[in-house]
Amino acid sequence: MTIHLKVWKQKNTGSKGRLEDYTVENVSPDMSFLEMFDVLNEELIHENKEPIAFDHDCREGICGMCSMYINGRPHGPLEGVTTCQLHMRSFKDGDTIVVEPWRAAAFPVIKDLVVDRTAFDRIIASGGYVSVNTGNAQDANNLPIGKDKADLSFAAAACIGCGACVAACKNASAMLFVSAKVSQLALLPQGQPEREARALSMVAQMDAEGFGSCTNTGACSAECPKEISLENIARLNREFIGASLSKPE
């Protein structure tokens, strides 16, 4: 296959970016999208040109780093897959593919296709955890958890924090991400002691990071590679309202 690319190039956060044209030949349909970029970068390096910067790590759909806007869709044309799981057989010989970084004020471009997603880390640090006290941990089998709640918590915990929900949202809202992280703990006994404080602090941090408001269009869930449910946003709203009403003046 021969693939034509229009790739966003940007030196740093303060620089003006642009789309540059590249052509990659002899692309195997069985290559992943990132492997195709590896081939392109090897050619650029061989020609003493600067390679394209892009985020990647596990390449198994787990780490959430392969954040690319491909032909106007986060992670590309397929549903339920990350960029590293997208194979070139999803495209046709001679196709032109436009590749851009996430577009959100809270995700500033570091270079080319790499964006700064540490805003998510700060949201987690504000309350997305269970505090650990000294002493021996209670045996997990001593904490009975209903199968329905365990399944819902597990489904919410599948969120990999890639930021596709933010990229897909017209308001650049992080509600799906935050709601998944709040839900996975709110549904479990271990998460109950800090339940109210967690909802308030994580939503406050989300707002402080500059993410937009949720208008419930559902684009976030539709483009999420882990298919995180919109029900988590409803749960977060209930958690936040309940915590706000019980908060002492």
Side-chain angles (χ1 to χ4, degrees):
M1 298 170 63
T2 297
I3 298 295
H4 305 288
L5 297 171
K6 289 184 177 293
V7 182
W8 186 262
K9 290 286 291 180
Q10 186 170 337
K11 187 176 181 180
N12 52 48
T13 304
S15 301
K16 187 176 180 180
R18 66 197 180 280
L19 286 170
E20 291 195 359
D21 296 329
Y22 300 91
T23 296
V24 190
E25 298 179 343
N26 299 318
V27 175
S28 168
D30 295 324
M31 281 183 180
S32 74
F33 202 84
L34 296 190
E35 287 173 330
M36 181 271 295
F37 261 90
D38 290 338
V39 171
L40 172 58
N41 276 344
E42 287 178 3
E43 293 176 357
L44 293 174
I45 293 170
H46 183 71
E47 297 170 1
N48 291 320
K49 296 179 180 178
E50 186 178 29
I52 299 165
F54 64 94
D55 252 338
H56 63 96
D57 189 11
C58 74
R59 301 201 178 195
E60 295 178 348
I62 298 172
C63 71
M65 294 184 68
C66 55
S67 48
M68 295 183 188
Y69 231 116
I70 302 170
N71 284 345
R73 293 188 64 179
H75 293 297
L78 301 184
E79 295 182 2
V81 299
T82 53
T83 301
C84 61
Q85 296 173 308
L86 177 66
H87 290 85
M88 297 311 297
R89 54 180 170 267
S90 298
F91 304 95
K92 298 178 181 178
D93 182 31
D95 273 358
T96 297
I97 306 173
V98 180
V99 188
E100 302 169 90
W102 291 162
R103 302 293 190 187
F107 288 161
V109 174
I110 297 175
K111 184 176 182 180
D112 298 344
L113 303 174
V114 181
V115 300
D116 184 354
R117 292 182 293 116
T118 54
F120 274 6
D121 296 331
R122 290 189 289 271
I123 291 174
I124 293 295
S126 71
Y129 54 84
V130 174
S131 295
V132 178
N133 298 318
T134 57
N136 293 329
Q138 185 177 4
D139 189 277
N141 291 328
N142 290 334
L143 297 173
I145 303 172
K147 181 67 164 57
D148 55 340
K149 288 193 174 182
D151 287 345
L152 289 173
S153 177
F154 187 87
C159 170
I160 56 177
C162 67
C165 52
V166 176
C169 178
K170 62 180 181 179
N171 303 323
S173 172
M175 278 290 281
L176 192 68
F177 167 77
V178 176
S179 68
K181 298 307 177 184
V182 167
S183 290
Q184 72 181 68
L185 297 175
L187 288 162
L188 299 177
Q190 296 92 330
Q192 300 309 304
E194 298 161 303
R195 183 173 178 177
E196 294 180 352
R198 179 182 301 112
L200 294 174
S201 60
M202 292 184 72
V203 170
Q205 187 64 39
M206 174 181 66
D207 292 340
E209 296 293 342
F211 292 104
S213 299
C214 174
T215 48
N216 236 13
T217 59
C220 53
S221 182
E223 298 291 357
C224 174
K226 298 303 175 182
E227 300 176 325
I228 302 299
S229 173
L230 286 176
E231 291 180 0
N232 291 297
I233 294 181
R235 184 176 296 107
L236 173 58
N237 287 332
R238 292 194 298 270
E239 292 288 318
F240 181 79
I241 293 172
S244 299
L245 292 175
S246 63
K247 183 180 178 181
E249 295 295 334

